[in-house]
């Protein structure tokens, strides 16, 4: 099967969904033919679908998301791009008070089928206005689905599923997942929201990893295998709804869990996963540990930036501390 | 809409709110509410220029917009009572009444929150329903929000069929307009976005209607948005518990003397409409309001567990 990058996979997902459904429109800053998206996810789409459906917006994040909300309520299926994840802070009212709640507050009368795509994550020395991982903010708001792909196959299938979903979806793309290559079929498929993936099967420990951390965990697991430690890796893929069954089944099987994310330690998705495991499989657990980003804004200098996020070495060390 | 119908709609708003005001005092209605009384000419004058398919967005002070767009008084009253039969099944209350079937996209309790939503509805009009327009109601306070500037700019640059209706009742909660902006006419802000900005007497329903028709025609012709500022005045405080002591008595008296319903009634009488006919309308509306209250009172409460329904679209 052919291999493509996550960016190419996302681009294909958008293109195919726009061909499939003329109600799919794109909104965002510099997503059109002149710039093609800050990370080129929307490359070539204005050329194919025209400027009515691929709309370069003013730098007005709150209006971009609000416009998507209003368009979604009235029959379109907008995909809005916020150029950097940190900038969702500018649009929080429209995401959390409007997109998430309007169906509920209208007694189920309206639907808000929109996707908010945004690149998160550290690694480029962009400093703390362009590097944070904020996915956990959104799981706290009932009414929002939250998706975080780690590879090309999932990125394409999850984005297609998100566009077809009738709920608002926050779709978190890691900037350093964008370049990862993976096998992606030519034919149409979706990855259903709310289904985790066992990225690697193992016996001794369950590593729950999200986004870029899946890749790092896979590399750590390959190295640990040489030391005789067999790691199972579960990628939740969707943070809300969370696939509790797959997480609990793996935790029951190995009895030891390490949860890894790049987002900072306090208030991250790891707390939520821990809650789920403690509620449901507490008596099967020998150990549960969290390896998250340090509790700091993302710093600029590469030496500091690299240090705040979990890396392969730290993952290996954490696993050994639990298993050995 | 004929002027008699406009008169009836204005009366519906006024009498609905007078009733709600009384019921609230009797502790029959939970929460708070923001009465539209005194501003009826704006909602009615604008909505009379719209078709049932056109969209509107509204505010925390939204009863008037709902009624003017054609919402059911029964379902509104039931919602305000927190009943299962209300528009939002008791989940929204006074500040969130929505009726998708008449294009009423919802009252919205974040000041300025619905402005970009109206822009999005305008985008749907442009791409999907070229015969439709969207009217976006908001207050003077909202015109200081970023959403106002972002939304109008976006609608302007995309030529979207949106009528931005600023109901300038001179106070953002208790804060006088002059304390928070250095202009008197908010319509001046339209110039910054190269769209027409018009200020009209918001207590004169026919004047509002005429300007609204002009703005709607522009929008339907693909000529883009208009900012229509309607100067008006709240008869009551910001919310139910606000006695509005911050307003000078002479200012209140001046505006109360220019009640939009009484002055329109006088005009209708001058036109030769028989007073008995107006009386008949008044008693019809009274009966409709009584029916709405009866419906709300007799309706069942939601089950507590209904709180978990409608969070998600579940297919």
């Amino acid at each position: 099967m052919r291999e493509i990058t996550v960016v190419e996979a996302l681009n294909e997902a958008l293109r195919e969904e726009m061909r499939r459904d003329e109600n799919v429109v794109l909104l965002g800053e510099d997503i059109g033919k002149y710039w093609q998206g800050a990370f080129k996810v929307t490359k070539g789409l204005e050329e194919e679908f025209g400027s009515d459906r691929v709309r370069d917006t003013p730098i007005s994040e709150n209006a971009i998301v609000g416009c998507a909300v209003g368009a979604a309520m009235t029959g379109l299926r907008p995909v809005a791009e916020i150029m950097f994840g940190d900038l969702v802070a500018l649009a929080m009212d429209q995401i959390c008070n409007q997109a998430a709640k309007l169906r509920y507050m209208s007694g189920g009368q309206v639907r808000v089928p929109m996707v908010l795509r945004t690149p998160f994550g550290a690694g480029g020395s962009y400093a703390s206005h362009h590097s944070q991982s904020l996915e956990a903010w959104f799981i706290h708001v009932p009414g929002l689905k939250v998706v975080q792909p780690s590879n090309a196959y999932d990125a394409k299938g999850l984005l297609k599923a998100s566009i077809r979903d009738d709920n608002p979806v926050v779709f978190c793309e890691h900037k350093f997942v964008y370049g990862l290559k993976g096998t992606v079929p030519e034919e149409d498929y979706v990855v259903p929201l709310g289904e985790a993936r066992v990225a690697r099967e193992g016996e001794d420990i369950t590593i729950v990893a999200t986004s870029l951390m899946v890749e790092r965990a896979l590399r750590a697991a390959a190295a640990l295998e040489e030391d005789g430690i067999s790691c199972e890796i579960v990628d939740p893929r969707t943070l809300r709804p969370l696939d509790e069954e797959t997480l609990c089944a793996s935790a029951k099987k190995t009895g030891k869990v390490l949860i890894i994310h790049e987002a900072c330690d306090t208030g991250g998705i790891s707390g939520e996963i821990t809650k789920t495991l403690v509620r449901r499989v507490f008596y099967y657990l020998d150990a549960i540990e969290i390896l998250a980003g340090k509790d700091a804004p993302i710093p600029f200098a590469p030496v500091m930036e690299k240090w705040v996020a979990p890396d392969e070495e730290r993952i290996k060390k954490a696993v050994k501390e639990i298993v050995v | 809409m004929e002027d008699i119908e406009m008169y009836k709609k204005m009366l519906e708003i006024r009498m609905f709110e007078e009733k709600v005001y009384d019921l609230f005092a009797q502790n029959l209605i939970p929460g708070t509410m923001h009465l539209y009384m005194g501003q009826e000419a704006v909602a009615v004058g604008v909505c009379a220029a719209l078709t049932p398919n056109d969209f509107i967005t509204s505010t925390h002070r939204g009863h008037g917009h709902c009624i003017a767009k054609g919402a059911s008084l029964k379902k509104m009253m039931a919602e305000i009572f927190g009943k299962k039969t209300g528009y939002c099944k008791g989940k929204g209350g006074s500040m969130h009444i929505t009726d998708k079937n008449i294009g009423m996209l919802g009252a919205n309790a974040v000041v300025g929150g619905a402005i970009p939503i109206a822009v999005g509805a305008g985008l749907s009009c442009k791409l999907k329903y070229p015969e439709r327009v969207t009217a976006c109601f908001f207050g003077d306070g909202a015109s200081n929000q970023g959403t106002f500037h972002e939304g109008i700019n976006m609608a302007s640059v995309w030529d979207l069929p949106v009528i931005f209706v600023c109901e300038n009742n001179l106070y953002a909660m208790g804060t006088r307009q002059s304390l928070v902006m250095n202009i008197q006419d908010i319509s001046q802000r339209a110039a910054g976005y190269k769209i027409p900005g018009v200020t009209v007497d918001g207590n004169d329903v026919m004047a509002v209607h005429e300007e609204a028709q002009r703005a709607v025609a522009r929008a339907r012709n693909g000529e883009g948005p208009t900012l229509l500022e309607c100067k008006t005045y709240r008869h009551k405080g910001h919310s139910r518990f606000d006695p509005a002591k911050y307003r000078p008595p002479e200012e209140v008296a001046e505006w109360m003397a220019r009640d939009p319903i009484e002055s329109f009634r006088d005009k209708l009488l001058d036109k030769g409409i028989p007073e008995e006919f107006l009386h008949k309308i008044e008693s019809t509306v009274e009966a409709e309001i009584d029916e709405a209250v009866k419906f709300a009172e007799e309706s069942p409460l939601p089950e507590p567990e209904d709180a978990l329904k409608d969070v998600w679209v579940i297919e």
Side-chain angles (χ1 to χ4, degrees), chain B residues 6-82:
Chain B
M6 288 164 71
Y7 179 68
K8 180 165 183 270
K9 281 286 170 213
M10 289 169 75
L11 266 185
E12 281 180 15
I13 299 170
R14 177 67 57 90
M15 293 171 85
F16 181 89
E17 291 208 311
E18 282 171 345
K19 180 61 79 178
V20 156
Y21 186 82
D22 284 348
L23 294 167
F24 193 93
Q26 295 169 45
N27 226 4
L28 291 167
I29 292 174
T32 185
M33 64 182 52
H34 305 81
L35 296 174
Y36 194 70
M37 268 187 235
Q39 304 183 197
E40 294 89 345
V42 181
V44 172
V46 171
C47 289
L50 303 176
T51 72
N53 285 332
D54 291 327
F55 298 113
I56 66 166
T57 63
S58 169
T59 70
H60 57 288
R61 198 177 306 288
H63 301 162
H65 310 130
C66 293
I67 294 172
K69 192 68 172 60
S72 145
L73 299 181
K74 286 182 178 174
K75 291 172 82 171
M76 282 181 67
M77 193 66 87
E79 185 58 33
I80 290 171
F81 270 72

Side-chain angles (χ1 to χ4, degrees), chain A residues 89-147:
Chain A
L90 290 157
M92 283 305 262
D93 175 58
Q94 290 299 328
I95 302 167
C96 297
N97 283 321
Q98 311 296 349
K101 296 178 185 169
L102 290 182
R103 172 173 182 75
Y104 186 76
M105 290 197 298
S106 69
Q109 289 183 71
V110 303
R111 293 172 178 216
V112 188
M114 60 169 284
V115 181
L116 175 64
R117 290 184 38 248
T118 191
F120 278 95
S125 277
Y126 298 134
S128 56
H129 282 173
H130 290 81
S131 303
Q132 229 177 325
S133 295
L134 299 171
E135 63 278 0
W137 282 7
F138 302 104
I139 64 163
H140 200 54
V141 184
L144 297 178
K145 293 189 177 181
V146 184
V147 177

Side-chain angles (χ1 to χ4, degrees), chain A:
Chain A
M1 209 186 292
R2 73 195 173 122
E3 286 207 340
I4 59 173
T5 64
V6 168
V7 164
E8 289 163 341
L10 293 168
N11 181 267
E12 282 189 4
L14 292 171
R15 190 184 299 275
E16 289 172 20
E17 291 306 298
M18 290 184 82
R19 285 180 186 160
R20 181 177 173 271
D21 182 353
E22 63 176 18
N23 290 315
V24 178
V25 298
L26 311 186
L27 304 168
E29 297 156 9
D30 277 312
I31 64 168
K33 61 189 172 197
Y34 298 106
W35 201 290
Q36 314 262 356
F39 295 91
K40 310 300 174 199
V41 173
T42 51
K43 188 176 177 184
L45 298 180
E46 185 178 357
E47 289 88 329
E48 178 168 346
F49 300 102
S51 51
D52 264 353
R53 291 180 65 196
V54 180
R55 306 186 82 93
D56 271 328
T57 63
I59 299 181
S60 303
E61 282 78 7
N62 216 6
I64 292 168
V65 180
C67 179
V69 173
M73 287 168 77
T74 50
L76 294 173
R77 302 185 85 83
V79 181
E81 176 178 309
I82 297 294
M83 195 185 283
F84 284 87
D86 310 70
L87 310 178
V88 297
L90 290 157
M92 283 305 262
D93 175 58
Q94 290 299 328
I95 302 167
C96 297
N97 283 321
Q98 311 296 349
K101 296 178 185 169
L102 290 182
R103 172 173 182 75
Y104 186 76
M105 290 197 298
S106 69
Q109 289 183 71
V110 303
R111 293 172 178 216
V112 188
M114 60 169 284
V115 181
L116 175 64
R117 290 184 38 248
T118 191
F120 278 95
S125 277
Y126 298 134
S128 56
H129 282 173
H130 290 81
S131 303
Q132 229 177 325
S133 295
L134 299 171
E135 63 278 0
W137 282 7
F138 302 104
I139 64 163
H140 200 54
V141 184
L144 297 178
K145 293 189 177 181
V146 184
V147 177
Q148 219 180 10
S150 67
N151 61 76
Y153 179 91
D154 288 348
K156 183 171 179 182
L158 288 166
L159 184 53
K160 283 163 116 15
S162 299
I163 292 170
R164 295 180 200 181
D165 200 286
D166 279 335
N167 296 284
V169 179
V170 179
F171 196 91
C172 306
E173 303 165 3
H174 196 294
K175 294 190 283 289
F176 289 86
V177 165
Y178 274 152
L180 299 179
K181 279 194 162 181
T183 53
V184 174
E186 305 267 1
E187 61 271 19
D188 181 48
Y189 69 95
V190 295
V191 173
L193 304 189
E195 288 185 13
R197 177 179 75 107
V198 178
R200 178 192 171 100
E201 290 193 14
E203 302 301 326
D204 299 328
I205 185 171
T206 297
I207 299 176
V208 182
T210 61
S211 189
L212 183 62
M213 295 303 119
V214 176
E215 175 71 9
R216 292 192 184 164
L218 283 167
R219 278 193 266 120
L224 287 162
E225 195 172 19
E226 290 170 17
D227 298 334
I229 298 171
S230 163
C231 301
E232 178 146 305
I233 299 177
V234 181
D235 174 2
R237 301 196 288 195
T238 306
L239 305 185
R240 185 162 190 169
L242 190 63
D243 179 357
E244 297 188 4
E245 302 307 321
T246 302
L247 291 170
C248 290
S250 180
K252 261 169 88 171
K253 177 173 126 186
T254 64
K256 299 182 181 69
V257 179
L258 174 66
I259 306 164
I260 311 174
H261 55 66
E262 181 181 308
C264 65
D265 189 56
T266 302
I269 180 71
S270 53
E272 201 55 33
I273 294 170
T274 303
K275 179 193 84 182
T276 298
L277 297 176
V278 168
R279 266 187 190 161
R280 295 192 49 180
V281 294
F282 180 73
Y283 292 106
Y284 298 88
L285 295 178
D286 297 327
I288 185 161
E289 189 49 85
I290 293 165
L291 178 60
K294 304 288 185 192
D295 272 335
I298 305 298
F300 163 70
V303 61
M304 286 192 284
E305 186 188 35
K306 188 172 181 308
W307 184 80
V308 295
D311 61 9
E312 198 182 316
E313 286 312 308
R314 220 178 276 159
I315 294 170
K316 285 194 290 194
K317 186 162 171 273
V319 168
K320 282 181 180 165
E321 277 170 11
I322 297 167
V323 173
V324 180

Side-chain angles (χ1 to χ4, degrees), chain B residues 293-312:
Chain B
V293 174
K294 188 161 178 278
F295 174 76
E297 282 176 336
E298 290 174 356
S299 287
L301 289 167
E303 301 301 323
E305 299 78 11
D306 289 346
L308 294 180
K309 292 181 183 161
D310 301 318
V311 180
W312 309 98

